[in-house]
């Protein structure tokens, strides 16, 4: 198992002109020699003189136990609580996630990390803390699944409490790909009509690719590519009948068509 943790940095850099650079240097010095750490990586952002931020990444050795990951998450949460100009992130078994100061939110993300790493439909994933305007409790999640069937199943699991994954609280932007690209709608909600259109076509024709994405005008947009030889007129009718509110935002083409 491989693990990466983004950590905050000591206050020694508080008065540095290039604060981001100083924070990164302090991070590397502070975490050098930490047990189970295979690699340390940092980034820095020098915004103005004496102002900046940094991100540090701790990559743990393969085979690091889940208990050790949990322990380091707890240490990270305390660290970012004391250093608000730093971001903490963890990567383990292909799933990367941000550790925030709030204990409840961090606990939710850790639980999601555990379930995603145990899900054989998931290849890699990334969970970002992404506050926006008044929505401070907000996440952006990106998942790559092993195939289209897995991608849609994982997407649904992330929105509704099922057997595999518990949804994170707060506003969520979710993107899942893998033979299919599906994304929460423009208001960060479950794109019910977009998925209905896709499933209506899939029930009758082989689908070789599809994009169910956010769109500022319609709220969602659907692009479905069916296998060569499919009845395009019928496929289009099925899709638009399943998603009547999307109108021309639903597009169905076939392999080999311009």
């Amino acid at each position: 198992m491989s693990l990466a943790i983004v950590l905050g940095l000591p206050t020694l850099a508080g008065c540095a002109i290039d604060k981001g650079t100083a924070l990164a240097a302090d991070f590397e010095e502070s975490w050098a020699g930490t047990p189970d750490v295979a690699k340390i990586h940092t980034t820095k952002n020098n915004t103005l003189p004496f102002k900046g931020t940094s991100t540090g990444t701790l990559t743990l050795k393969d085979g690091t136990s889940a208990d050790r990951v949990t322990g380091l998450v707890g240490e990270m949460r305390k660290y970012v609580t004391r250093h608000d100009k730093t971001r903490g992130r963890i990567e383990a078994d292909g799933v990367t996630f941000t550790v925030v100061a709030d204990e409840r939110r961090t606990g939710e993300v850790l639980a999601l990390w555990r379930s995603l790493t145990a899900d054989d439909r998931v290849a890699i994933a990334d969970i970002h803390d992404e506050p926006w305007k008044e929505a401070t409790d907000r996440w952006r999640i990106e998942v790559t699944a092993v195939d289209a069937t897995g991608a849609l199943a994982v997407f649904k699991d992330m929105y509704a409490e099922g057997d595999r994954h518990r949804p994170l609280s707060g506003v969520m932007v979710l993107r899942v790909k893998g033979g299919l690209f599906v994304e929460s709608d423009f208001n960060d909600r479950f794109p019910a009509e977009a998925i209905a259109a896709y499933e209506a076509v899939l029930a009758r024709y082989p689908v070789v690719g599809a994009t169910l994405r956010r769109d500022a005008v319609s709220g969602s947009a659907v692009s479905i590519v069916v296998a060569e030889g499919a009845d395009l007129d019928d496929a289009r009718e099925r899709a638009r009948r399943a998603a009547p509110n999307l109108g021309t935002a639903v597009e169905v083409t076939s392999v080999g068509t311009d």
Side-chain angles (χ1 to χ4, degrees):
M1 177 174 64
S2 168
L3 166 76
I5 299 181
V6 173
L7 301 176
L9 306 171
T11 56
L12 293 175
C15 297
I17 294 178
D18 293 328
K19 186 173 181 178
T21 299
L23 289 172
D26 286 349
F27 173 83
E28 293 176 4
E29 181 178 354
S30 296
W31 292 94
T34 300
D36 299 317
V37 173
K39 182 175 64 174
I40 298 174
H41 174 72
T42 58
T43 64
K44 59 264 189 183
N45 180 24
N46 299 307
T47 53
L48 293 171
F50 304 106
K51 292 185 179 182
T53 60
S54 182
T55 292
T57 302
L58 270 176
T59 301
L60 294 193
K61 298 174 182 177
D62 291 345
T64 301
S65 69
D67 286 344
R68 175 63 170 152
V69 173
T70 300
L72 287 167
V73 169
E75 294 177 23
M76 169 58 47
R77 188 188 67 79
K78 295 176 182 177
Y79 200 95
V80 296
T81 299
R82 297 192 303 267
H83 302 81
D84 63 354
K85 299 303 180 184
T86 62
R87 171 169 290 184
R89 308 196 73 217
I90 292 177
E91 184 275 320
D93 286 345
V95 177
T96 306
F97 62 94
T98 300
V99 177
V100 296
D102 184 88
E103 186 172 8
R104 174 190 59 81
R105 295 183 71 208
T106 291
E108 287 184 352
V109 172
L110 182 58
L112 183 56
W113 164 75
R114 287 179 180 272
S115 64
L116 286 172
T117 55
D119 191 339
D120 57 8
R121 302 170 303 182
V122 174
I124 58 174
D126 205 331
I127 307 169
H128 301 262
D129 175 41
E130 193 169 85
W132 184 69
K133 295 184 177 179
E134 294 83 11
T136 56
D137 188 356
R138 189 172 189 269
W139 299 97
R140 175 167 57 88
I141 305 172
E142 299 178 348
V143 178
T144 298
V146 296
D147 56 29
T149 300
L152 189 56
V154 169
F155 188 91
K156 290 180 175 180
D157 280 352
M158 297 286 284
Y159 262 97
E161 289 193 27
D163 295 333
R164 292 290 188 105
H165 309 296
R166 293 187 60 188
L168 298 178
S169 59
V171 179
M172 182 171 66
V173 178
L174 177 61
R175 301 184 181 103
V176 181
K177 62 182 179 179
L180 164 74
F181 179 82
V182 56
E183 181 178 40
S184 54
D185 74 12
F186 190 68
N187 296 307
D188 302 328
R189 297 173 303 195
F190 186 81
E193 282 202 273
I195 290 175
Y198 169 75
E199 291 182 322
V201 175
L202 184 64
R204 178 64 179 84
Y205 302 107
V207 174
V208 299
T211 298
L212 319 179
R213 62 178 176 80
R214 290 150 54 98
D215 181 82
V217 177
S218 65
S220 186
V222 182
S223 176
I224 302 169
V225 181
V226 295
E228 188 173 2
D231 185 334
L232 272 180
D233 289 338
D234 181 61
R236 287 166 179 159
E237 177 60 25
R238 288 171 181 270
R240 290 168 184 168
R241 188 166 57 240
N245 294 319
L246 297 185
T248 57
V250 178
E251 178 182 74
V252 181
T253 60
S254 70
V255 174
T257 60
D258 294 332

